[in-house]
Amino acid sequence: MKRLQWPSWMPVDPYIVLLLATMGIAALLPARGAVADGVSGLATAAVAFLFFLYGARLSTREALDGLRHWRLHLTILGCTFVLFPLLGLAGQALVPFLLDDALYRGLLFLTLVPSTIQSSIAFTSIARGNVPAAICAGSFSSLAGIVLTPLLAALLLGGQFGDGQGFSGDSVLRIVLQLLVPFLAGQLLRRWVGGFVRKHGRLLSLVDRGAILLVVYSAFSQGMVRGVWGQVSAVRMVELIAVEAVLLAVVLAATWYGAKALGFGRGDRVAIQFAGSTKSLAAGLPMASVLFGAEAALAVLPLMLFHQMQLMVSAVIARRRERDPLPAEEPRPYATTGRH
């Protein structure tokens, strides 16, 4: 099967350009009143359908097979929900020197988000790593994040949710209904819809991206209407980018060399590095909209910047790993595409 191709002449992911354009539209033409309610409802429905597709795409057999490799999955979950949050807590020392309170909340929230499915699979495939492990790890992380992310947010952020609804029974119920229930429905209906989803994977990937654009427009419209963006200066933006570059470098090094110290082979180390160092925009944005409310636009800014950074850096690393000679004792891992 063909591998995902990343244009060498394009320094920025075109989808990030669309995200920036969406932010610009929200700044010039923010949704208000009934229109804002309609956009928010449409975004909620689109995200629910997105997680339904995740459930329909994940083969139950792959999930069960993946459970056999429990050490690898525990390592990835540890990187995502232990290492990242610890680094996020360490970032408190940067306030108020490099980050203000609002941006730090967003940075800490970024460290609590589950890992990606699409990116970790694609980069693992390019780097000739353990693709089935990346598929299962990304799916397990997203599913665990539905529960762990809001719980960790309640524990570490406490009452710092700004004007959002915070962590409450209602917010948990909304997250479960919007993310977990559609995912389980996709799993239950996979026998009937799985073939269609696989056949039209490229077309349905537009749903993934369209859902995120809707959530971004809704969140940033609320931020514009309430004047949230007046709180961020250009200097703070540069400082935030520098902090996130250091965060990404530390996690990439920890996942690669830590996996080696734990005795994993090359293919597993590749999967651990890409699944353990990436953060999901698709999962993070809906949760932020529930937890932070009108301040979601500012809260997800660190996540959006980190998402673009991880794509660019991981693409370079994956291409270099692709040229690595495979150890004689390891079979050549198969590549995959169309998996999200």
Side-chain angles (χ1 to χ4, degrees):
M1 288 182 283
K2 294 181 179 179
R3 295 179 183 171
L4 178 65
Q5 297 296 319
W6 296 84
S8 58
W9 51 268
M10 186 175 294
V12 178
D13 183 357
Y15 185 54
I16 298 300
V17 176
L18 288 177
L19 284 172
L20 294 175
T22 301
M23 293 166 55
I25 294 173
L28 296 174
L29 299 171
R32 302 173 184 270
V35 175
D37 293 338
V39 171
S40 178
L42 186 60
T44 298
V47 169
F49 184 56
L50 169 65
F51 275 78
F52 172 82
L53 292 178
Y54 285 164
R57 286 166 178 157
L58 176 62
S59 166
T60 305
R61 176 177 294 180
E62 287 175 345
L64 294 176
D65 289 344
L67 288 175
R68 299 173 185 172
H69 209 347
W70 59 269
R71 286 185 63 248
L72 181 143
H73 296 305
L74 283 181
T75 300
I76 293 174
L77 289 175
C79 293
T80 303
F81 296 113
V82 178
L83 174 62
F84 257 113
L86 289 176
L87 292 174
L89 288 173
Q92 177 71 49
L94 303 176
V95 180
F97 308 105
L98 295 179
L99 302 173
D100 57 29
D101 289 331
L103 288 180
Y104 173 68
R105 285 197 300 270
L107 179 70
L108 183 55
F109 176 73
L110 144 70
T111 65
L112 310 180
V113 172
S115 64
T116 63
I117 298 179
Q118 299 98 320
S119 298
S120 59
I121 295 171
F123 292 132
T124 300
S125 172
I126 292 172
R128 300 183 297 170
N130 189 339
V131 176
I135 294 172
C136 294
S139 302
F140 292 157
S141 178
S142 293
L143 187 57
I146 296 174
V147 177
L148 292 179
T149 297
L151 286 177
L152 288 171
L155 177 65
L156 301 182
L157 288 169
Q160 304 179 51
F161 290 100
D163 294 332
Q165 299 179 30
F167 185 81
S168 64
D170 180 64
S171 64
V172 172
L173 180 62
R174 290 182 61 190
I175 290 173
V176 169
L177 291 177
Q178 189 174 356
L179 306 182
L180 180 58
V181 171
F183 181 90
L184 294 177
Q187 277 284 283
L188 291 174
L189 298 176
R190 187 179 182 278
R191 176 183 299 181
W192 296 279
V193 302
F196 178 85
V197 170
R198 288 193 302 271
K199 183 178 180 181
H200 299 87
R202 186 177 297 274
L203 176 62
L204 292 177
S205 67
L206 297 177
V207 176
D208 299 19
R209 302 192 168 213
I212 299 305
L213 293 177
L214 279 171
V215 173
V216 169
Y217 178 73
S218 177
F220 276 75
S221 290
Q222 292 184 53
M224 286 300 301
V225 171
R226 301 202 181 190
V228 171
W229 283 105
Q231 306 174 24
V232 184
S233 67
V235 174
R236 285 298 193 197
M237 285 285 288
V238 173
E239 292 170 345
L240 174 61
I241 292 173
V243 169
E244 293 195 338
V246 173
L247 173 64
L248 180 59
V250 170
V251 175
L252 284 170
T255 50
W256 182 251
Y257 293 106
K260 181 179 181 180
L262 291 173
F264 288 101
R266 179 195 175 279
D268 289 345
R269 290 173 66 195
V270 169
I272 289 171
Q273 182 173 54
F274 291 123
S277 65
T278 56
K279 290 294 183 176
S280 173
L281 203 61
L285 284 178
M287 293 181 187
S289 66
V290 174
L291 296 173
F292 292 94
E295 292 191 8
L298 195 57
V300 300
L301 178 61
L303 176 59
M304 293 179 62
L305 292 174
F306 188 84
H307 186 267
Q308 167 60 19
M309 191 180 300
Q310 75 186 19
L311 289 178
M312 296 175 66
V313 174
S314 296
V316 173
I317 293 176
R319 286 303 185 191
R320 290 186 177 179
R321 296 263 185 270
E322 183 183 26
R323 297 191 293 268
D324 290 344
L326 290 177
E329 67 274 12
E330 289 191 31
R332 180 185 180 89
Y334 70 80
T336 186
T337 189
R339 281 279 192 185
H340 298 276

